[in-house]
Amino acid sequence: MSIKRIEPGSRMSQAVIFENMVYLAGQVGTPAASIEEQTKSILDKIDRLLAESGTSKSNVLKAEIWLSDMKHFNEMNAVWDAWIDPANPPARACGESKLATPDFDVEIMITAAKV
């Protein structure tokens, strides 16, 4: 069994594939942009990484979302709801947390299957 790493760096890989599972690192968007722009940027990165990993948003099993402040919940969800495959919604958690810098208001981590 081999492990494939996508965009590996000294600290982390952006995606790791093991067997039929794809694990994405937490993705952040354009710093200091609006919550909608950050979320859209993140989801574009997720689409790209999932495609490179041989899967798609239809195969997302779990999403973990962190917001810098829960006041962003509705705005983030408006972008999320337009992106997610409504026939295949993942299990999901969303909470408030300090993020890496004050310029980030949302971070999303995805686990998906390759089918």
Side-chain angles (χ1 to χ4, degrees):
M1 292 182 229
S2 65
I3 297 172
K4 180 180 178 185
R5 300 177 195 283
I6 295 176
E7 297 180 25
S10 60
R11 179 171 290 153
M12 64 185 205
S13 296
Q14 292 302 307
V16 176
I17 305 165
F18 179 69
E19 295 184 346
N20 289 326
M21 296 297 297
V22 178
Y23 304 91
L24 300 188
Q27 300 298 309
V28 293
T30 307
S34 72
I35 191 70
E36 294 90 352
E37 292 169 326
Q38 286 188 39
T39 304
K40 174 78 170 90
S41 174
I42 291 166
L43 296 175
D44 288 346
K45 288 180 185 179
I46 288 171
D47 279 334
R48 180 184 57 77
L49 288 165
L50 290 174
E52 191 171 341
S53 299
T55 191
S56 71
K57 65 184 172 187
S58 297
N59 299 318
V60 171
L61 302 173
K62 180 174 80 166
E64 298 172 51
I65 302 172
W66 298 280
L67 298 171
S68 63
D69 190 310
M70 289 306 288
K71 72 181 181 184
H72 299 305
F73 187 74
N74 291 333
E75 292 86 353
M76 180 278 300
N77 273 325
V79 178
W80 174 268
D81 291 345
W83 174 80
I84 198 68
D85 178 352
N88 297 292
R92 189 186 103 162
C94 182
E96 182 178 302
S97 179
K98 274 187 155 180
L99 299 178
T101 76
D103 291 333
F104 295 132
D105 288 313
V106 61
E107 182 170 349
I108 302 175
M109 187 177 194
I110 295 289
T111 302
K114 287 179 63 167
V115 293

